[in-house]
Amino acid sequence: MKLTKALLSATALCAAATTAHAVDLEVTHWWTSGGEAAAVTQFAKAFNEKTEHNWVDGAIAGGGSTARPIMVSRILGGDPMGATQFNHGRQAQELVEAGLMLDLTDVAEAEGWKDVVHPSSLLDACTLDGRIYCAPVNIHSWQWLWLSNSAFADIGVDVPANWDEYVAAMPALDAAGIVPLAMGGQAWQSSGAFGVLAIAIAGQDAWKAVNIAKDADVAGGEAYAKVFDAAAAAREYSKKTNVQDWNQATAMVIEGKAGGQIMGDWAQGEFAVAEKVAGTDYTCLPGLGVNAVIDTAGDAFYFPKQDDPEVEAAQKELAALMLSKEVQVEFNLRKGSLPVRGDVDLAAANDCMKKGLAILESGNIMPSGDMALSPDTSGQIEDLMTEFWSSDMSAADAQAEYAGIIADAD
Amino acid sequence: MAVTDHGVDHARREYAKPPIKIFKNLSSKIAAIPMILTATVIFIGCSGWTIVHSFTNSKLLPKLDFVGFDQYERLWSSRRWLISVENLFIYGLCSLVFTLVIGFLLAALLDRKIRFENTFRTIFLYPFALSFVVTGLVWQWILNPEFGVQSIVRGLGWESFTFDPLYNSDIVIYGILIAGLWQGTGLIMCIMLAGLRGIDEDIWKATKVDGIGTVKTYLVVIIPMMKPVFVTALVLIASGIVKVYDLVVAQTSGGPGISSEVPAKYVYDTLFGRQNLGQGFAASTMMLVMVVIILIPYVYLQFGGKKDQ
């Protein structure tokens, strides 16, 4: 009798064990540069070690604009991956509305995301009708100016402390054969840099009026005219860049071939891979040193709906894991981004990350362009900005065009 | 088409028995069903679906929410689209003229019974074996001012030499044209050469007897005789022009700025990158219209005449 019981319970245990099959979960993302790849490996390691499932890496090279169409068409075409990266905001909005994404509300409640995710706007960007559909994994902000200390040493000028000093040093850099401002040729880079200049020069209120309230009068007005003038002046000093990818432009700053670059804090990952030290080799100025404010853009993972309950369980495990304390620290240190949890200790963070954390703490934050504008509107702005940065288009013409786009924005 | 014609002839010959037309040549009709379905459902059906949805404000997912001609208004006021159309026009015209002229000249030269003809033919045709992406990348490197043609010429001592078409908004489309010609001319040359070989030796003898010069023979005798070959070449070149996309993506990705954008790229970017189906469909409908405008006179010339005979 006892033996039978033992046998029975043993089989029951076996059955229980086999129901939780190991699932191969394909995760697509566009993190392919050195720093990014090092960061995403942390997710894969944690997922493989801490759960019985396997991380199948689906990196798509070429940046978000190449990767997103592939992801969207796979989801729409009935070949959904296990999990996929998007920038949280409006990129996946319609997919969520069409019911193609897994509802993560129960995971969020079990893990207490509402209490730990800071700032809460990150979770709002994942929420639709009170349900949560994505797991934010990091905070990225665009508002950074990266300066090469060696380039400024070459021309015998102190490293600038703000945008105006930097602009003043540009002619000297140019004369010394150093590209004053590195600007990659991809459209999103010129568009992003313009957004940064807008916040720094026109101020937060004007930026919000344009991007959130879609006020075309402000976009065509005085404050923005200054931004366009500043951009027109800066583009003259960025013409010799001749590279496409953002990390190649960052490499110019790392090697001291360029004075500086306006780029988001993901650039930090590249400095880290090149083993440069913040403060001695390079300097970072949040908000261009003028207006210390950062936006809270970032990456989030969405989990396309699958019919298989086992896959669904694995997806939820991954979602919970991505926001766990340990993984957040490991991931964000390598990525150069800020963690989405307010309650983790980033003692290992470097100078620049600490600056970012302090700003985050002070609450001087704002929503990102991705959250405020639809991909369609962002695309139109990108077209305009890339044309503006690469041609002799006058500031006034560009501004008129820009106001038109904002007036039509949805 | 050929199958049904054949069926009709067959029916006429056996006029005595009243035939049930639909069962004639049943097996060939069954065999044609997949093609008929492909043509009606995929080509006509999907084109119709696209045109209908171009009048809606569909974003990421198609919706039947009609907005009239709004998408077209936005399309034709978008500078990127206008530049795209202009580029396609320049690229198309130059590509058509240069491919035909260079292709024919090369073929005519090879036809003069030169030595190593096989070798030259292979060399000229070889670029066609490369995809547009590879072609684009190769020419991106060749035209790169830092280590391409410009730096080589400067290295030879001509310091002020400037040749950077891919980095100059005004001439970037010609940089793409060079790559397109390099890739496509070989095939046209081969087709022309085949056409020239099809010309009877006696024609040459006759013109020689009449004392007509070589060049004049080509212009007034040979070329008119090669009309079908030219039509084939024209169709091949034209289809290559409208769909030009990968070459641009590989060489410049539309840059600098938006100065080398082409319509196909606009369609792809708005459909997928910008999640704006309505706008993308409007652009692709305009591309269809452009093709139809070119095609109608051609179809009329090619097939319209036959009915009168």
Side-chain angles (χ1 to χ4, degrees), chain A residues 63-366:
Chain A
S65 48
T66 311
R68 280 191 297 270
I70 299 172
M71 295 164 175
V72 170
S73 50
R74 273 191 61 183
I75 296 168
L76 289 179
D79 177 26
M81 60 298 279
T84 184
Q85 173 199 7
F86 278 106
N87 298 116
H88 49 224
R90 297 181 62 177
Q91 284 168 357
Q93 189 183 336
E94 279 199 61
L95 293 173
V96 173
E97 284 170 359
L100 291 165
M101 293 298 183
L102 184 67
D103 185 346
L104 299 173
T105 313
D106 51 343
V107 183
E109 278 167 4
E111 298 282 319
W113 286 1
K114 275 226 159 67
D115 306 320
V116 295
V117 173
H118 174 82
S120 58
S121 63
L122 290 177
L123 213 51
D124 296 343
C126 282
T127 310
L128 186 84
D129 298 332
R131 313 296 291 175
I132 292 167
Y133 290 93
C134 66
V137 294
N138 60 7
I139 300 169
H140 266 311
S141 45
W142 245 111
Q143 290 69 29
W144 295 83
L145 175 62
W146 306 92
L147 298 168
S148 162
N149 286 16
S150 75
F152 287 97
D154 283 353
I155 59 163
V157 174
D158 285 341
V159 178
N162 60 45
W163 176 253
D164 294 331
E165 289 181 32
Y166 176 43
V167 171
M170 280 183 182
L173 286 168
D174 197 35
I178 297 169
V179 178
L181 177 67
M183 174 69 72
Q186 289 163 341
W188 63 269
Q189 298 178 42
S190 30
S191 167
F194 175 79
V196 175
L197 279 173
I199 293 173
I201 293 170
Q204 276 188 64
D205 294 334
W207 189 90
K208 282 183 181 162
V210 169
N211 289 277
I212 297 172
K214 319 272 190 304
D215 187 338
D217 290 340
V218 179
E222 195 102 343
Y224 261 70
K226 280 186 201 154
V227 182
F228 276 97
D229 286 338
R235 82 176 164 195
E236 296 310 316
Y237 289 107
S238 68
K239 288 229 156 118
K240 289 178 192 150
T241 310
N242 277 356
V243 297
Q244 289 290 321
D245 293 330
W246 69 269
N247 48 340
Q248 290 174 331
T250 309
M252 291 173 72
V253 179
I254 292 174
E255 292 160 16
K257 286 185 195 160
Q261 182 191 21
I262 298 175
M263 184 47 63
D265 55 7
W266 46 91
Q268 182 142 275
E270 299 301 302
F271 286 102
V273 168
E275 293 178 353
K276 298 286 175 185
V277 182
T280 52
D281 297 319
Y282 66 100
T283 304
C284 55
L285 298 176
L288 306 186
V290 182
N291 206 339
V293 55
I294 55 176
D295 68 16
T296 50
D299 301 293
F301 276 86
Y302 287 77
F303 299 83
K305 249 188 199 154
Q306 311 238 359
D307 290 335
D308 194 340
E310 281 177 13
V311 175
E312 204 168 282
Q315 288 176 320
K316 286 181 175 170
E317 277 184 65
L318 178 59
L321 191 68
M322 280 174 163
L323 265 86
S324 67
K325 276 188 185 178
E326 198 183 321
V327 175
Q328 275 289 306
V329 172
E330 291 298 322
F331 173 78
N332 285 304
L333 280 180
R334 282 168 185 79
K335 187 78 167 65
S337 52
L338 305 176
V340 295
R341 298 176 71 117
D343 59 350
V344 292
D345 178 27
L346 275 186
N350 67 21
D351 238 26
C352 291
M353 284 178 82
K354 280 182 181 146
K355 281 188 197 174
L357 284 169
I359 296 171
L360 201 60
E361 202 66 36
S362 73
N364 216 353
I365 51 172
M366 48 196 302

Side-chain angles (χ1 to χ4, degrees), chain A residues 91 94 376 383 390 393, chain B residues 59-60 74 79 257 275-276:
Chain A
Q91 284 168 357
E94 279 199 61
D376 189 30
D383 283 348
S390 67
M393 194 180 202
Chain B
K59 290 291 182 188
L60 178 61
R74 177 174 150 192
R79 203 168 40 239
Q275 308 181 350
N276 191 342

Side-chain angles (χ1 to χ4, degrees), chain B residues 70-88:
Chain B
D70 281 11
Q71 299 286 11
Y72 291 91
E73 268 171 37
R74 177 174 150 192
L75 183 69
W76 285 103
S77 60
S78 144
R79 203 168 40 239
R80 177 169 162 187
W81 173 256
L82 295 176
I83 289 175
S84 302
V85 173
E86 189 194 323
N87 278 341
L88 184 69

